[in-house]
Amino acid sequence: MLKHVVFLLLSLLAIALCQQPGTLQAEVHPPLTVQQCTNSSGCVSQSRSIVLDSNWRWTHKVGDYTNCYTGNSWDTSLCPDPTTCAANCALEGVDYAATYGITTSGSSLNIKFVTQGQYGTNIGSRVYLMQDDNNYQMFKLLNREFTFDVDVSNLPCGLNGALYFVEMMQDGGMSEYSGNKAGAKFGTGYCDAQCPHDIKFINGQANTLDWKPSPNDKNSGTGFYGTCCIEMDIWEANSKASAYTPHVCSVQTQTRCSGTQCGDGSNRYGGVCDKDGCDFNSYRMGDKSFFGQGQVVDTNKPFTVVTQFITNDGTDNGYLSEIRRIYVQDGKIIDNSRANFPNFRGYNSISDSFCNDQKTLFGDRNDFEAKGGLKALGAALQRGMVLVMSLWDDHEVYMLWLDSDYPVTSPPTTPGVARGPCSTSSGRPADVESQYPNSNVKFSNIKYGQIGSTFGH
């Protein structure tokens, strides 16, 4: 999944060492209730919370108001090298609602797109589910299902309200890297299958080497290192299109990459992760009347999304063989759409055979199979993955890969090119940020447990 973050500077004070949190703004994680379910006993509520990713936080000189990072550039006097920068700079606590437009109520999370705060404007955000104040919740979903309600009615073309899992470290890397004194409590340790270079601190060090300010995003840039891990995109969507996509890697857990490992540019398939993934997007798979406003799954109103991780033998000891999708809306269970192409099996779930046939049909390179396929994802699901929820716009390709024709140089009649009904001129950040600032996504009623235990049927 393509991911690019937008950073807001918030003037706060701290006394800290080595990427340690500040002390003026208390870091209070908004509470969020989730449920764990079994077929025999039903669902039990669990009191959890969310935390904002460290990339959004104000990074400042220890004991001083001086910014370590302003706009999309580092202060080279405070950050002459990665280790010194981590020692000189601290992360600060945040006001979730006022500064970032993030609110919770019971089992519901609301993420607003543009928030005008006291100190500036924030665009989008990314949060993680916490087990406690210092640890992310680790989900082990092999031979399990994961369910949530979502409202995407206020997400236009070009936005992505995403819910997904990545193989981050439970404590955000705090115990692994001595330079990281902030840990999961302050949202550190992010990684995904795109091996993003825009993460400001990786492995307890600042990502300042070869830092290049973005030419098209005044708040972002890229450093020498990327940060890679297996990723399961349960949900990437707006009101026009949606996809669920596994991405696998040849590495386990969060891994810092450099050079060819990162799979950058023309070396896309030479890195450690499968950046393309194996996606199921109903529109792209030939059913253009299944998902959207007024369609079978009607995005004008909320609905339930169920994802089942099926093993080959139906036990916890088997290997991942299929990822099934079910929807529930207005009390009605809706099976996922089926692929609708001539001479192509009517798949309605993700399996290795689906991925192989899809890649052949679309003429795409099968890096998913080369990096291990569903078995590799299943192993990560067994080890444990962190839940991520976010709302973002796309400064690189404008979310066309999700909701429009992409690549734009190919005829839309070519199988796999048409991914949604949005115009190829849509999704420009300057447009969506100015025209749809009040956009938002709501996630609620998160449940996980045994197959068949989390939804009425």
Side-chain angles (χ1 to χ4, degrees), residues 127 131 155 263 320 334 350 375 382 399 405 447 453 457:
V127 301
Q131 175 180 296
L155 292 182
L320 183 65
I334 304 170
I350 293 176
K375 287 185 180 179
Q382 203 164 35
M399 220 69 73
D405 299 331
K447 301 177 183 180
S453 67
H457 54 101

Side-chain angles (χ1 to χ4, degrees), residues 35-308:
Q35 292 184 295
Q36 185 173 16
C37 307
T38 64
N39 288 313
S40 60
S41 302
C43 298
V44 176
S45 293
Q46 298 176 323
S47 298
R48 298 292 186 258
S49 62
I50 58 166
V51 64
L52 180 71
D53 181 280
S54 63
N55 238 39
W56 269 259
R57 297 172 183 272
W58 178 43
T59 306
H60 61 86
K61 182 181 178 181
V62 172
D64 195 292
Y65 285 95
T66 304
N67 295 328
C68 288
Y69 183 95
T70 302
N72 55 15
S73 299
W74 295 93
D75 183 326
T76 55
S77 65
L78 292 171
C79 295
D81 60 76
T83 302
T84 302
C85 186
N88 284 341
C89 301
L91 300 174
E92 196 52 80
V94 300
D95 185 330
Y96 282 79
T99 304
Y100 297 94
I102 300 169
T103 55
T104 63
S105 177
S107 66
S108 179
L109 165 67
N110 184 69
I111 304 176
K112 189 179 176 184
F113 181 40
V114 178
T115 302
Q116 299 289 342
Q118 181 180 358
Y119 301 100
T121 302
N122 180 70
I123 311 295
S125 58
R126 180 168 66 218
V127 301
Y128 312 115
L129 189 72
M130 301 292 285
Q131 175 180 296
D132 54 48
D133 264 352
N134 298 301
N135 292 281
Y136 301 126
Q137 173 144 346
M138 303 302 289
F139 285 86
K140 298 183 178 182
L141 293 175
L142 188 65
N143 195 35
R144 298 292 186 270
E145 68 185 24
F146 183 89
T147 296
F148 64 97
D149 294 347
V150 66
D151 186 345
V152 295
S153 60
N154 199 31
L155 292 182
C157 296
L159 294 189
N160 187 342
L163 182 151
Y164 58 105
F165 290 96
V166 291
E167 199 178 4
M168 295 165 64
M169 297 180 186
Q170 185 169 21
D171 66 356
M174 188 173 178
S175 60
E176 186 76 13
Y177 304 107
S178 61
N180 182 355
K181 304 300 183 184
K185 183 175 182 177
F186 282 74
T188 67
Y190 182 71
C191 57
D192 66 41
Q194 301 304 317
C195 300
H197 287 261
D198 61 352
I199 306 304
K200 297 182 181 73
F201 289 91
I202 303 174
N203 292 8
Q205 296 183 333
N207 195 18
T208 55
L209 292 179
D210 296 339
W211 184 266
K212 296 178 178 61
S214 171
N216 55 20
D217 185 346
K218 64 182 180 180
N219 297 298
S220 186
T222 56
F224 179 74
Y225 294 108
T227 178
C228 314
C229 63
I230 290 176
E231 173 181 357
M232 176 63 222
D233 294 325
I234 296 280
W235 186 251
E236 295 191 278
N238 51 41
S239 62
K240 309 296 185 180
S242 69
Y244 74 107
T245 311
H247 299 261
V248 293
C249 305
S250 59
V251 295
Q252 294 184 11
T253 196
Q254 181 269 324
T255 302
R256 188 173 74 173
C257 71
S258 61
T260 59
Q261 295 174 312
C262 300
D264 300 326
S266 60
N267 186 51
R268 182 176 182 84
Y269 301 105
V272 297
C273 288
D274 161 39
K275 296 190 174 187
D276 292 352
C278 174
D279 66 299
F280 198 112
N281 172 333
S282 294
Y283 196 101
R284 191 181 189 214
M285 295 312 302
D287 191 337
K288 300 181 179 181
S289 61
F290 180 75
F291 182 91
Q293 293 160 315
Q295 302 201 11
V296 176
V297 176
D298 185 359
T299 59
N300 287 318
K301 50 190 176 181
F303 50 88
T304 300
V305 181
V306 183
T307 308
Q308 299 177 327

Side-chain angles (χ1 to χ4, degrees), residues 337-448:
S337 63
R338 292 192 175 274
N340 183 28
F341 288 103
N343 303 316
F344 188 82
R345 302 184 203 177
Y347 293 106
N348 73 338
S349 65
I350 293 176
S351 61
D352 283 330
S353 60
F354 162 79
C355 296
N356 294 342
D357 288 350
Q358 185 215 54
K359 300 290 185 181
T360 299
L361 175 67
F362 293 166
D364 294 336
R365 184 162 172 170
N366 196 349
D367 204 32
F368 182 74
E369 180 182 45
K371 297 292 194 299
L374 286 186
K375 287 185 180 179
L377 175 64
L381 291 171
Q382 203 164 35
R383 290 188 295 266
M385 302 181 78
V386 174
L387 175 61
V388 188
M389 292 167 282
S390 68
L391 176 56
W392 59 289
D393 59 358
D394 183 353
H395 285 257
E396 298 300 321
V397 294
Y398 317 127
M399 220 69 73
L400 302 180
W401 57 269
L402 173 66
D403 60 21
S404 185
D405 299 331
Y406 190 80
V408 295
T409 54
S410 298
T413 54
T414 301
V417 172
R419 300 153 188 258
C422 299
S423 167
T424 54
S425 64
S426 67
R428 273 56 177 175
D431 294 337
V432 294
E433 291 168 16
S434 62
Q435 296 173 18
Y436 307 104
N438 294 320
S439 298
N440 69 298
V441 63
K442 294 179 181 179
F443 298 111
S444 60
N445 297 321
I446 293 171
K447 301 177 183 180
Y448 66 100

